[in-house]
Amino acid sequence: YTGKTSNELLTHNIKKMKVSEHFSVPVVVNEHVNVYDAITTMFLEDVGTLFVVDEHSHLQGVLSRKDLLRASLGQQSLQEVPVHIIMTRMPMIKVCKKEDLLIDTANKLIENQIDALPVVQEKDEGLEVIGRVTKTNITRAFVELVKED
Ligand code: ADP
């Protein structure tokens, strides 16, 4: 890349990074699962965001740590509240696709003040969740950028 400034090179390398090479396995729960079990899943799977799906594995909602904390402050028994009552639901969910540039997902996380995006594939009647991109994936990619040199 003779003639390119180091800044142009950096931009070029950043724009080479696609979601497909940087996403993680998604952790999903069914919409009828109760809040108590969702909290247990979040601890056992060691993630900060759960994606909520229906019987057809289509994306219905998102549960963050604070969504679950907020629900825990209520009076009701957590075993009696299904997660679909407290989740952030479609069509409010911000998503990304495997082909997307990682930098665009980073922008979505910042603009929407969220920690994670589901990686989805469009199906006839909904969105299938195939992965997740979190701030950790972005941080890891940022570190890799330097290691490559
Ligand atoms: P926390 O709530 O633990 O700080 P987030 O910042 O990720 O975690 O979530 C903030 C709010 O945004 C929560 O109510 C959550 O349900 C919602 N949220 C998280 N991820 C998404 C997403 N991809 N699309 C839309 N809303 C989201």
Side-chain angles (χ1 to χ4, degrees):
Y1 300 100
T2 46
K4 279 199 175 168
T5 65
S6 58
N7 200 23
E8 281 168 340
L9 259 175
L10 184 60
T11 303
H12 172 85
N13 282 333
I14 288 174
K15 288 191 171 168
K16 271 196 309 196
M17 297 194 294
K18 299 276 177 63
V19 166
S20 54
E21 285 113 46
H22 294 276
F23 72 94
S24 300
V25 175
V27 179
V28 302
V29 294
N30 182 274
E31 58 192 337
H32 301 299
V33 156
N34 67 59
V35 172
Y36 185 95
D37 288 343
I39 292 172
T40 306
T41 302
M42 187 172 274
F43 274 102
L44 289 177
E45 300 286 342
D46 196 20
V47 291
T49 308
L50 299 173
F51 301 120
V52 183
V53 297
D54 62 19
E55 283 71 31
H56 308 289
S57 296
H58 291 149
L59 179 64
Q60 296 299 333
V62 172
L63 292 166
S64 73
R65 287 181 275 228
K66 261 180 252 163
D67 292 333
L68 295 172
L69 271 180
R70 194 183 305 111
S72 305
L73 292 174
Q75 299 301 313
Q76 230 187 329
S77 161
L78 299 181
Q79 262 119 339
E80 284 160 22
V81 184
V83 289
H84 69 78
I85 301 292
I86 66 151
M87 69 188 188
T88 301
R89 61 186 59 250
M90 290 293 277
M92 302 302 290
I93 312 298
K94 306 293 173 188
V95 303
C96 66
K97 302 203 169 147
K98 267 200 315 205
E99 316 79 67
D100 291 350
L101 297 183
L102 196 65
I103 188 69
D104 292 338
T105 68
N107 255 318
K108 267 192 197 174
L109 293 179
I110 297 293
E111 281 171 6
N112 296 288
Q113 301 185 350
I114 51 180
D115 290 346
L117 293 173
V119 184
V120 300
Q121 228 160 29
E122 268 173 52
K123 294 281 157 176
D124 288 345
E125 281 163 34
L127 299 174
E128 184 192 359
V129 183
I130 60 167
R132 74 189 149 96
V133 172
T134 69
K135 287 179 175 175
T136 303
N137 296 107
I138 309 290
T139 307
R140 211 178 279 138
F142 183 70
V143 170
E144 276 174 26
L145 210 54
V146 176
K147 280 186 188 154
E148 274 173 16
D149 292 350

